[in-house]
Amino acid sequence: MSGLLGAQTCSSAGEVSDLKSPLGAKLREPLTEARFQQIFGGAEQEPDLLAEPRWSRRCSLWRRRVRACSAPGAWRLLLARLPPLRWLPHYRWRAWLLGDAVAGVTVGIVHVPQGMAFALLTSVPPVFGLYTSFFPVLLYTLLGTGRHLSTGTFAVLSLMAGSAVERLVPEPLGGNLSGIEMEQLDAQRVGAAAAVAFGSGALMLGMFALQLGVLSTFLSEPVVKALTSGAALHVLVSQLPSLLGLPLPRQIGCFALFKTLAAVLSALPRSSPAELTISALSLALLVPVKELNVRFRDKLPTPIPGEIVMVLLASVLCFTSSLDTRYNVQIVGLLPRGFPQPLLPNLAELPRILADSLPIALVTFAVSVSLASIYADKYNYTVDSNQELLAHGVSNLISSLFSCFPNSATLATTSLLVDAGGNTQLAGLFSCLVVLSVLLWLGPFFYYLPKAVLACINISSMRQMFFQMQELPQLWRISRVDFAVWMVTWVAVVTLSVDLGLAIGVVFSMMTVVCRTQRVQCLALGLAEGTELYRPLRESHKLLQVPGLCILSYPTPLYFGTRGQFRRILEWHLGLGGGKETPKTDGPPTAVAEPVRVVVLDCSGVTFADAAGAREVVQLASRCRDAGIHLLLAQCNASVLGTLTQAGLLDRVTPEQLFVSVQDAAAHALERLELTGPKTCTVWV
């Protein structure tokens, strides 16, 4: 039942106390901010709440840095920057070593075919995918904080890097290149891919130097999942020419997915029956094996290595049947042994690849930190986002010297590492040993591997990303705004490109945050009967409201975007605008509104205020003073209070009008109202 239960005239404070409420009970003296600082803030704290002088804060900061420049400080810095120094002394060799070894070998076996497959996405020879599966993994083992994170080649990054490589080093229009010309083209594309990796690594190191790990909070989960799901569709479409044996040029830029589909459909009659058969058989083996690994994850001691089995079977079949010479099936060819000579990328190309390196750096950071955080929460340890910036920045920068393309954490191999029993970063060393053995000794066994099989591995590895769309119904039920962010990002990625889709998704996600701050309602509070708690008047339990007293809670930051809304809401409640003489109420329409004489503004929800918002509060204080309304501010945090003070708030109000809690401010307001005569107490349900 809702409505006005009763109204009575209270001629004294004693009559007010008859209402089973602490309204009239004076439990203690109201505690203002100034009084709080005098009691608890130290003897030298000024009552006007002025912040510590800036020069004093800087001196304190420099003193702490000087103290840190010592042997213990250097050791703490070394521990922070080399995580193995922290976890290796506490490594449980008997319990963890076998799991790390099995998981590392399993992931290394998968790295070999996937590395070569993702190299084709990057438009570089397959062997460079093996290099990218070795150097970054080794470097992350030394610098990373994600114990269960597996790094290396990632389809989304390979696709983005491949688009940049195709734009920087396009294939000649003629198409028919000699062997020497093809080698020169490959060398130029490898240099371009390494330059992109160098640029993205340098950007991440710059972000680390500026301690911008907090940027991971701006890449929301719907944006990251929609990005990877949309990129998976790009990978699928980009591999169709290889599946069908069609020598089509790669489409880049906006609408590349639709251009590729149109080119494939028009050239479909020219597809190669041999490569189409190889692709169909490969998918017929890989997809069921992936499904078995997922369904019987808990029963299998290690996942079935479907990729490596498929690679061996296809290589043997191509060798025995001479498919490369009889049916012109494209094969991997000779994998050079050993490692390439370290070579600094062409620095003159860096300005050209900066626009490509920035989104790659952001995607690397977003995917890696979000994936590391998921498993850190699951296994109860912490991940340092700034250290992750350093780890992936160094990993991309150093590996680019060995002709590696951009790399990051990978979804499939991380899940595989956890399922295989991996416990720490030590599993990365065993993975490196497997890739190293291929680079040094086992490379010739992959000579006859058809490239169509690598395309099938690319497509089958996207399974987990495609299935992210199954979460959309649940996301719709939980948050329509997050659902809209997911859909806008996905459509932008699929329609335009991965980097533009990421930019649109991030901007749209931030706009939803801004729009939600614009729609926050200012709540009028009343005292819950029999308690000291102040609740919104629209709630269904009994609340007490004193005429002439208005208690408002503004639950959003106060900045230039919300100052207009703040002004309109306060005018609406206090009757300050448009010639209104009576305030609005949240009670029943039969209630008699009395002009507000005291207003309490609960600032606990105002997390920050900028200069425009602070000036709006100062102007509100001036207007309230001119209208004869006593303004009280409660629960301002130190940052907001400092901003308001700098804006001149203390020229409009006294420190005695700033209170630690809403209860103290309300008690002071009641005392002030009692001095002006009898009041009518209205009880609401």
Side-chain angles (χ1 to χ4, degrees):
M1 183 182 73
S2 64
L4 185 63
L5 287 184
Q8 66 183 62
T9 302
C10 307
S11 58
S12 65
E15 295 181 15
V16 177
S17 63
D18 293 336
L19 284 171
K20 295 182 180 181
S21 152
L23 275 173
K26 186 175 181 180
L27 301 179
R28 57 175 170 79
E29 180 184 357
L31 191 60
T32 65
E33 290 278 355
R35 179 66 175 163
F36 180 87
Q37 293 295 337
Q38 289 176 355
I39 298 175
F40 303 105
E44 54 250 25
Q45 183 72 28
E46 292 295 330
D48 59 354
L49 305 176
L50 291 178
E52 182 183 1
R54 184 176 299 178
W55 64 268
S56 179
R57 295 198 302 270
R58 289 181 177 177
C59 290
S60 300
L61 179 62
W62 279 110
R63 282 196 296 270
R64 287 196 298 270
R65 290 181 176 177
V66 169
R67 285 196 299 269
C69 295
S70 59
W75 176 246
R76 285 193 299 269
L77 180 63
L78 194 61
L79 288 176
R81 298 297 167 249
L82 289 177
L85 296 179
R86 298 198 305 269
W87 58 263
L88 198 56
H90 305 286
Y91 189 84
R92 297 162 57 184
W93 295 95
R94 293 185 178 180
W96 291 349
L97 183 60
L98 180 60
D100 282 341
V102 172
V105 171
T106 304
V107 170
I109 291 174
V110 175
H111 267 317
V112 173
Q114 278 195 359
M116 292 189 291
F118 292 160
L120 297 183
L121 279 179
T122 320
S123 300
V124 296
V127 69
F128 294 94
L130 297 180
Y131 300 150
T132 311
S133 299
F134 177 79
F135 291 104
V137 178
L138 183 62
L139 292 169
Y140 185 82
T141 301
L142 300 176
L143 298 173
T145 59
R147 298 180 186 176
H148 298 85
L149 205 64
S150 174
T151 58
T153 56
F154 183 39
V156 176
L157 289 184
S158 297
L159 182 69
M160 297 173 69
S163 299
V165 169
E166 293 281 350
R167 180 177 58 83
L168 294 172
V169 188
E171 187 173 350
L173 296 178
N176 294 324
L177 302 178
S178 64
I180 297 178
E181 291 175 338
M182 182 60 69
E183 290 181 1
Q184 293 176 349
L185 180 66
D186 288 341
Q188 292 177 2
R189 289 184 168 180
V190 168
V196 172
F198 185 91
S200 61
L203 286 174
M204 282 187 281
L205 287 181
M207 293 166 64
F208 165 74
L210 297 175
Q211 297 292 287
L212 295 181
V214 70
L215 289 179
S216 60
T217 58
F218 294 99
L219 296 168
S220 62
E221 182 178 349
V223 171
V224 174
K225 289 190 174 181
L227 173 73
T228 54
S229 181
L233 190 58
H234 275 279
V235 171
L236 172 62
V237 173
S238 67
Q239 294 304 292
L240 289 180
S242 298
L243 290 178
L244 302 174
L246 298 173
L248 298 177
R250 184 168 180 171
Q251 302 293 334
I252 59 175
C254 296
F255 311 107
L257 185 144
F258 304 103
K259 294 177 183 178
T260 303
L261 282 177
V264 169
L265 290 176
S266 62
L268 195 59
R270 303 196 306 270
S271 59
S272 170
E275 298 202 42
L276 184 59
T277 303
I278 293 174
S279 301
L281 293 176
S282 299
L283 290 176
L285 174 64
L286 290 174
V287 173
V289 168
K290 290 279 188 181
E291 190 66 25
L292 288 175
N293 285 334
V294 173
R295 293 196 175 186
F296 300 98
R297 177 182 302 173
D298 299 329
K299 297 181 180 180
L300 293 173
T302 58
I304 302 173
E307 290 89 348
I308 199 67
V309 172
M310 188 67 248
V311 164
L312 295 176
L313 289 178
S315 299
V316 171
L317 178 63
C318 185
F319 172 72
T320 56
S321 303
S322 301
L323 296 179
D324 56 326
T325 56
R326 295 173 60 185
Y327 299 102
N328 199 26
V329 172
Q330 298 294 317
I331 60 175
V332 169
L334 180 64
L335 296 179
R337 293 185 178 182
F339 299 102
Q341 293 292 330
L343 179 65
L344 185 68
N346 187 5
L347 299 181
E349 296 288 336
L350 291 182
R352 296 178 59 196
I353 56 93
L354 184 61
D356 301 296
S357 298
L358 181 58
I360 287 177
L362 293 177
V363 172
T364 300
F365 178 57
V367 172
S368 301
V369 172
S370 59
L371 194 59
S373 299
I374 290 173
Y375 288 99
D377 294 338
K378 183 177 180 179
Y379 292 98
N380 196 24
Y381 62 91
T382 58
V383 172
D384 186 352
S385 58
N386 285 308
Q387 180 65 21
E388 289 296 298
L389 274 175
L390 175 66
H392 290 287
V394 171
S395 177
N396 278 273
L397 189 68
I398 300 300
S399 62
S400 69
L401 304 180
F402 295 91
S403 303
C404 297
F405 50 85
N407 60 87
S408 73
T410 62
L411 303 178
T413 55
T414 297
S415 177
L416 181 63
L417 185 144
V418 174
D419 295 339
N423 299 288
T424 66
Q425 297 95 316
L426 196 64
L429 294 181
F430 293 98
S431 174
C432 290
L433 290 177
V434 174
V435 178
L436 181 64
S437 63
V438 173
L439 287 172
L440 296 182
W441 303 294
L442 303 179
F445 290 98
F446 298 97
Y447 183 92
Y448 290 98
L449 174 62
K451 291 185 177 181
V453 175
L454 297 181
C456 294
I457 293 174
N458 276 331
I459 294 175
S460 64
S461 64
M462 298 292 102
R463 174 187 178 279
Q464 187 176 2
M465 298 183 191
F466 284 129
F467 283 177
Q468 289 178 346
M469 301 188 72
Q470 295 178 345
E471 303 175 5
L472 286 178
Q474 183 184 12
L475 192 62
W476 172 265
R477 293 190 297 268
I478 295 174
S479 173
R480 306 289 174 86
V481 175
D482 286 343
F483 179 86
V485 171
W486 202 103
M487 291 304 302
V488 168
T489 306
W490 188 85
V491 170
V493 169
V494 171
T495 305
L496 301 177
S497 61
V498 177
D499 48 355
L500 286 178
L502 173 63
I504 292 173
V506 171
V507 171
F508 183 77
S509 178
M510 299 308 299
M511 288 301 298
T512 60
V513 175
V514 174
C515 291
R516 278 184 277 187
T517 62
Q518 301 294 313
R519 300 181 63 183
V520 171
Q521 295 183 350
C522 185
L523 301 176
L525 306 181
L527 183 65
E529 187 178 9
T531 70
E532 292 186 3
L533 301 177
Y534 286 84
R535 312 290 295 178
L537 290 178
R538 294 178 180 177
E539 295 189 0
S540 60
H541 49 269
K542 293 183 179 181
L543 296 172
L544 303 178
Q545 184 182 22
V546 178
L549 172 62
C550 184
I551 304 176
L552 301 175
S553 175
Y554 189 72
T556 190
L558 188 54
Y559 63 102
F560 66 93
T562 58
R563 63 173 183 171
Q565 177 201 40
F566 175 80
R567 183 193 313 115
R568 290 189 297 270
I569 287 176
L570 268 294
E571 289 176 351
W572 191 86
H573 280 280
L574 303 181
L576 295 176
K580 299 175 183 177
E581 296 181 356
T582 58
K584 304 294 182 180
T585 67
D586 290 324
T590 58
V592 179
E594 180 177 334
V596 174
R597 282 172 289 180
V598 181
V599 57
V600 177
L601 184 58
D602 178 14
C603 301
S604 58
V606 182
T607 55
F608 72 90
D610 67 355
R615 284 195 294 267
E616 198 63 46
V617 176
V618 174
Q619 292 175 8
L620 171 67
S622 298
R623 298 180 65 186
C624 287
R625 185 177 61 184
D626 297 339
I629 299 175
H630 192 59
L631 175 64
L632 306 177
L633 300 180
Q635 293 186 232
C636 290
N637 63 50
S639 174
V640 173
L641 194 56
T643 305
L644 296 178
T645 302
Q646 295 295 331
L649 178 66
L650 295 182
D651 296 334
R652 306 296 193 278
V653 301
T654 64
E656 286 71 24
Q657 292 174 250
L658 308 176
F659 289 84
V660 173
S661 66
V662 176
Q663 288 80 4
D664 288 314
H668 175 79
L670 290 174
E671 291 180 357
R672 183 177 181 85
L673 289 174
E674 288 170 7
L675 297 178
T676 63
K679 300 289 170 290
T680 300
C681 300
T682 308
V683 184
W684 303 91
V685 175

